[in-house]
Amino acid sequence: MERKIIGKIVNTFQLKGKVKVSLSTDNFEDRYKVGRKVYIKDDNGKEKEYEITSLTLLNPKVVAISFKGYNDINEVEQFINKDIYEDVEIEEGRYFYDDLLKMNVVTSNGKDVGKVKNIIKMKNIEYLIVDNLYIPFQIDIFIKKVDINELKIILTELGDEVVK
């Protein structure tokens, strides 16, 4: 098992202690299931376990959740901008967004583009931030292959056009 980021708390939601979470995982119904234990680091980097007590889908990329023992907006404001972690077993060929960070991006003919600095989500698509480039993260359209073992993301020919 590995501890992975499954989302980022972006704001509070309503007055009863819920938080909005920007998803960085698929299968949110299981990852944020009521009763599931997740981890959040405090300002000193120490992880603490929290139990999820409610889940509401707000849109395909954002959920609202609450934690056991936190029933007021003032109690959860401390979590804004914090990542949520979970212990997960990673299936062969699968990866999490934090696996992509610092991976090398190369063109379809092997030319080095740079390292992934960040991943941002815009309206309908995620983008890999490589230096000052925004590369759409769409497998088979802009991204040919994500090679976890080689720590390399290979672009398609259309992806090559983005980095020209």
Side-chain angles (χ1 to χ4, degrees), residues 15-102:
L15 299 174
K16 295 188 177 183
K18 288 186 179 184
V19 292
K20 280 186 184 180
V21 178
S22 174
L23 299 172
S24 60
T25 181
D26 56 2
N27 194 15
F28 77 90
E29 302 95 339
D30 185 47
R31 300 259 183 248
Y32 294 95
K33 180 170 56 174
V34 172
R36 177 74 57 136
K37 305 279 197 287
V38 295
Y39 304 89
I40 300 172
K41 291 182 182 178
D42 65 19
D43 291 333
N44 297 321
K46 184 177 178 184
E47 290 182 350
K48 185 175 176 189
E49 184 180 83
Y50 298 88
E51 182 179 332
I52 296 173
T53 57
S54 72
L55 168 65
T56 305
L57 178 65
L58 301 178
N59 69 51
K61 300 286 184 191
V62 178
V63 295
I65 61 173
S66 56
F67 300 116
K68 185 175 186 175
Y70 293 83
N71 301 310
D72 183 84
I73 188 172
N74 297 314
E75 297 173 331
V76 296
E77 285 181 327
Q78 65 180 317
F79 299 132
I80 295 174
N81 293 320
K82 302 272 170 87
D83 291 322
I84 298 178
Y85 298 84
E86 181 187 34
D87 290 330
V88 297
E89 262 190 62
I90 301 173
E91 301 169 21
E92 184 70 30
R94 305 270 319 214
Y95 49 85
F96 280 73
Y97 283 166
D98 62 326
D99 293 327
L100 303 176
L101 296 175
K102 300 181 182 167

Side-chain angles (χ1 to χ4, degrees), residues 147-162:
D147 190 332
I148 294 296
N149 296 326
E150 295 288 323
L151 298 175
K152 187 187 311 181
I153 298 171
I154 303 167
L155 300 177
T156 63
E157 289 182 11
L158 186 57
D160 293 349
E161 295 296 318
V162 174

Side-chain angles (χ1 to χ4, degrees), residues 92-124:
E92 184 70 30
R94 305 270 319 214
Y95 49 85
F96 280 73
Y97 283 166
D98 62 326
D99 293 327
L100 303 176
L101 296 175
K102 300 181 182 167
M103 287 183 91
N104 290 317
V105 177
V106 298
T107 62
S108 61
N109 58 10
K111 181 182 172 198
D112 187 48
V113 176
K115 291 190 183 293
V116 177
K117 306 279 190 240
N118 200 357
I119 300 166
I120 62 167
K121 296 176 200 167
M122 293 192 184
K123 195 166 187 141
N124 294 319

